[in-house]
Amino acid sequence: MSQEETRIVFHVDLDAFYASVEQRDNPSLAGKPVIVGAAPGHRGVVSACSYEARRFGVHSAMPISQAYRRCPQGVYLPVRMERYIEVSRQVMGILQQYSPYIQQISVDEAFLDLSGTERLFGPPVETGRRLKKDVKEKTGLVISVGIGPNKYLAKLATNAGKPDGLLMVEEGKVEDFLDSIPLSQLWGIGERTLRRLTELNITSVRQLRGFADGELAHLLGRGASAFLGKAVGGQDPGIFSEEPHSRSLSSETTFERDRKDRGGIERTLLELCQQVTFRMIEDGWKSKTVALKVRFHDFTTVSAQRTLKHWISSTEELDEVARDLLASRWNGTTPIRLIGIGFSNLIQADVQDQLELFGDEFSRRKKVEEAVLRIRKKMGSVSLTKASLLENEGRSPKRHREGDPNRPPTSF
DNA sequence: TCTGGGGTCCTAGGACCC
DNA sequence: TCTGGGGTCCTAGGACCC
């Protein structure tokens, strides 16, 4: 074996996933334009659609009203997320039989590392073909497979081969492959960056590669230019890293009609608080940071965030902060289209964080309180507290719950 | 009758500390 | 009578992806 073994990374993507599951679960939908997402006549977008629907110009993320205009004969279905997750698990189970190094990146996508398995499985393209056949036979679903020397190229290869694709980017042909891809298809180039590049007269991958790092940084900012520099050079820009990252969790809802009745909006907010608190506890997380999002009638969007000194443990507590944040961003008269609430900087609930271990202001106070409590248990109703605590509490020191409330506490 | 809901990452600026 | 520089935490907004 050579000292620098070439990596063989597979990227697997389920074609038109939600729509395919619907068609498989209900054979009468086979061959029909199936559109999964919001119901026509309501606010929302297309989450996924079958290839039959795409022929009418429908695509995911398109407003449902527009989709309906283009394809009124389509079959419109709601999103059944639980079902898709179930089917997804089944597919991931099959993928696991090909490599223990699997990284699921969304409900319908995963990477597999098959480096050094040629001896066992044969050439990668052969393995890809078998994998496609295997998934099709066991689940009835079609996957596209991209193979490359890193995750980024494998992912691009999948997209280039869709639908029902199988494409391998060979080590020596990386630049040729990249040059064959329109700029707009590069993962990480969205509407804004594409527009910016067009303004700069950059319209191809090859052209983009010609720019020196510094020049590009000047035009697009450091982060974006470093990312694109690597991408067009055939290196993995590292977007799909497995490093632990910050987590967040949120619930939001778009009203059927813009509204400005504070009572109704706050009721919705409370419901969202309930949902998100429940999910956080269910999933074993804790957080001190609350994030509110408000979208107004004209689609302008504002956010407000607050980090508390302690973990938030109840819907009521979250709701109180949420209302406060809402009051800070909303004048009470501008019609609101969307409202959302969430937690960020999530920490696993069973992990004690450093602040707790080494004593921040809050936990120090908590320890003092606990100590005071212990002493009071021993000494009966003698009121005592720590001098520094009184200073911290400012002009309104906490009253002791027992004993004479007017008697000044004893310092120690 | 435009434009969902759930995420991640980056940037820029302010507060605060040493 | 002037005011550095680094580090960290926090916030708001923006870009992007599925």
Side-chain angles (χ1 to χ4, degrees), chain A residues 146 176 199 304 330 350 392 412:
Chain A
D176 287 345
E199 280 165 13
W330 183 45
D350 54 3
N392 285 336
F412 67 100

Side-chain angles (χ1 to χ4, degrees), chain A residues 24 37 111 211 277 300 395:
Chain A
R24 193 202 61 171
F111 288 110
F211 279 83
T277 305
T300 56
R395 263 170 295 177

Side-chain angles (χ1 to χ4, degrees), chain A residues 382-391 400 408-412:
Chain A
V382 178
S383 232
L384 61 116
T385 187
K386 207 169 173 172
S388 66
L389 234 181
L390 284 176
E391 284 162 30
H400 285 260
T410 315
S411 294
F412 67 100

Side-chain angles (χ1 to χ4, degrees), chain A residues 313-340:
Chain A
S313 53
S314 69
T315 298
E316 292 69 33
E317 200 179 5
L318 174 62
D319 185 51
E320 205 183 307
V321 180
R323 283 184 201 220
D324 217 38
L325 291 173
L326 176 62
S328 77
R329 311 298 290 168
W330 183 45
N331 57 17
T333 57
T334 311
I336 292 177
R337 176 189 178 91
L338 168 151
I339 190 152

Side-chain angles (χ1 to χ4, degrees), chain A residues 5-219:
Chain A
E5 196 73 29
T6 302
R7 278 183 78 205
I8 303 284
V9 179
F10 277 45
H11 175 259
V12 175
D13 191 318
L14 286 141
D15 290 351
F17 183 46
Y18 302 176
S20 301
V21 172
E22 298 299 344
Q23 287 177 318
R24 193 202 61 171
D25 283 356
N26 179 358
S28 76
L29 297 176
K32 291 186 181 164
V34 172
I35 294 149
V36 181
H42 294 259
R43 281 180 162 172
V45 299
V46 175
S47 288
C49 61
S50 67
Y51 282 92
E52 293 84 357
R54 291 180 202 198
R55 274 186 223 120
F56 292 88
V58 176
H59 57 78
S60 55
M62 173 182 278
I64 206 75
S65 50
Q66 201 180 330
Y68 190 73
R69 254 182 276 126
R70 294 185 181 204
C71 186
Q73 67 271 57
V75 181
Y76 290 83
L77 300 172
V79 176
R80 292 189 299 152
M81 207 56 203
E82 299 77 22
R83 177 64 182 146
Y84 311 144
I85 288 170
E86 205 179 312
V87 177
S88 170
R89 286 212 187 96
Q90 212 182 328
V91 175
M92 297 299 154
I94 297 169
L95 300 190
Q96 262 161 31
Q97 293 165 10
Y98 286 74
S99 171
Y101 305 109
I102 178 168
Q103 182 192 9
Q104 189 173 350
I105 55 170
S106 73
V107 72
D108 61 350
E109 276 179 89
F111 288 110
L112 288 174
D113 196 326
L114 278 100
S115 306
T117 62
E118 282 208 60
R119 206 179 275 252
L120 186 64
F121 285 139
V125 173
E126 264 315 305
T127 309
R129 204 166 285 145
R130 269 219 314 286
L131 179 57
K132 282 166 67 75
K133 191 162 162 251
D134 204 3
V135 171
K136 175 78 188 181
E137 279 173 7
K138 288 178 180 156
T139 69
L141 296 169
V142 177
I143 58 172
S144 285
V145 176
I147 308 169
N150 64 45
K151 289 178 189 173
Y152 190 80
L153 287 164
K155 167 112 172 118
L156 291 186
T158 302
N159 288 340
K162 271 181 190 179
D164 199 5
L166 173 59
L167 185 66
M168 175 160 174
V169 180
E170 316 245 3
E171 180 98 277
K173 298 182 183 158
V174 168
E175 287 203 358
D176 287 345
F177 169 70
L178 285 167
D179 289 349
S180 75
I181 290 182
L183 262 188
S184 62
Q185 299 295 304
L186 274 195
W187 199 99
I189 293 193
E191 208 187 316
R192 286 321 246 284
T193 307
L194 190 66
R195 202 189 310 156
R196 184 86 187 92
L197 289 172
T198 309
E199 280 165 13
L200 296 164
N201 279 318
I202 302 170
T203 55
S204 73
V205 172
R206 182 183 285 276
Q207 235 180 321
L208 192 54
R209 193 182 296 120
F211 279 83
D213 280 1
E215 267 178 291
L216 214 53
H218 221 74
L219 301 169

